[in-house]
């Protein structure tokens, strides 16, 4: 009787281990499918994530610094950045995002008034 219970516990543990490994594989596939592949070109302006500011930097402080100009893109995801008065430095490509420009540089393409409808 006791030996049968131990065998059942072993089977239960093996099933739990298999289901956990299957779950991990499925979650990894889901995560890998939803990773955004970023393509950067030399001369693009980007913002750099400042991890030193922590999760809650303050009410109106941004965690992004920049803009910086890309001077070189390596094949393994590393990027050379250059600022106006700062020397070149290398960062991971996952820590940057494209800089769209300041609101002064954004132009209105089409203006739509709600009164017309």
């Amino acid at each position: 009787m006791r030996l049968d219970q131990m065998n059942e516990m072993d089977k239960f543990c093996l099933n739990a281990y298999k289901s956990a490994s299957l779950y991990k594989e499925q979650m990894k596939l889901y995560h890998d499918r939803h990773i955004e592949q970023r393509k950067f070109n030399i001369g693009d302006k980007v913002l750099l994530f400042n991890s030193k500011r922590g999760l809650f930097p303050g009410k109106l402080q941004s965690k992004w610094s920049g803009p910086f100009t890309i001077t070189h893109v390596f094949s393994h995801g590393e990027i050379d950045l250059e600022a106006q008065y700062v020397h070149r430095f290398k960062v991971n490509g996952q820590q940057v995002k494209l800089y769209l420009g300041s609101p002064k540089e954004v132009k209105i393409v089409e203006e739509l008034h709600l009164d017309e409808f």
Side-chain angles (χ1 to χ4, degrees), residues 47-55 63-65 68 94-97:
L47 296 174
L48 177 64
F49 182 74
N50 190 352
S51 60
K52 292 181 181 177
R53 293 210 176 138
L55 293 175
K63 293 184 268 184
W64 298 92
S65 58
F68 299 97
Q94 296 294 320
Q95 294 179 337
V96 296
K97 68 177 180 179

Side-chain angles (χ1 to χ4, degrees), residues 13-72:
C13 288
L14 285 174
N15 283 340
Y17 179 76
K18 287 179 185 177
S19 65
S21 64
L22 286 173
Y23 175 76
K24 286 181 184 180
E25 287 177 20
Q26 289 174 350
M27 288 306 293
K28 182 180 179 341
L29 289 173
Y30 176 82
H31 180 265
D32 290 346
R33 268 189 262 129
H34 289 86
I35 288 179
E36 181 180 319
Q37 296 296 327
R38 300 177 182 171
K39 299 289 182 187
F40 297 108
N41 299 319
I42 295 174
D44 286 349
K45 292 201 180 275
V46 294
L47 296 174
L48 177 64
F49 182 74
N50 190 352
S51 60
K52 292 181 181 177
R53 293 210 176 138
L55 293 175
F56 305 103
K59 188 171 183 177
L60 298 175
Q61 290 181 341
S62 176
K63 293 184 268 184
W64 298 92
S65 58
F68 299 97
T69 306
I70 295 177
T71 56
H72 193 267

